[in-house]
Amino acid sequence: PALFYEDAVWSYGELREKAAQIAHVLVKDLGIIPGKRVLLRGFNTPMLIACWFAVLMAGGICVTSMPLLRMKELKYIIEKAK
């Protein structure tokens, strides 16, 4: 297993498959191109990990933050990520 989270257990294959599906959406539907930054906000869950790998698969650069951050704190992170 690659991930254990609450009642969920994901294998490496399941993680790769989910990341590939998300990467496909990022590229085909959202137009992500290599080198673009993608802000991921969320708690540490298997889906956030899959999204992180998906951004990398799509050639993007992950910028992650905690969902508890306020706009002022997020603005600073976004400015630094540019």
Side-chain angles (χ1 to χ4, degrees):
L3 299 171
F4 294 96
Y5 182 78
E6 295 178 353
D7 294 334
V9 178
W10 288 16
S11 69
Y12 283 97
E14 290 169 323
L15 177 58
R16 185 188 59 77
E17 184 179 324
K18 184 60 76 178
Q21 291 171 344
I22 297 166
H24 180 78
V25 171
L26 289 173
V27 173
K28 297 295 181 187
D29 296 343
L30 299 176
I32 298 297
I33 59 173
K36 288 293 181 180
R37 281 136 181 96
V38 177
L39 178 65
L40 297 175
R41 279 184 91 195
F43 294 103
N44 294 331
T45 63
M47 188 55 74
L48 181 66
I49 295 167
C51 289
W52 193 84
F53 280 118
V55 170
L56 296 180
M57 286 178 156
I61 299 167
C62 295
V63 179
T64 52
S65 75
M66 298 180 299
L68 302 175
L69 296 179
R70 296 187 183 115
M71 183 55 75
K72 180 180 176 184
E73 297 156 328
L74 265 181
K75 186 176 177 183
Y76 176 78
I77 291 170
I78 292 168
E79 288 299 316
K80 284 294 186 181
K82 289 182 182 177

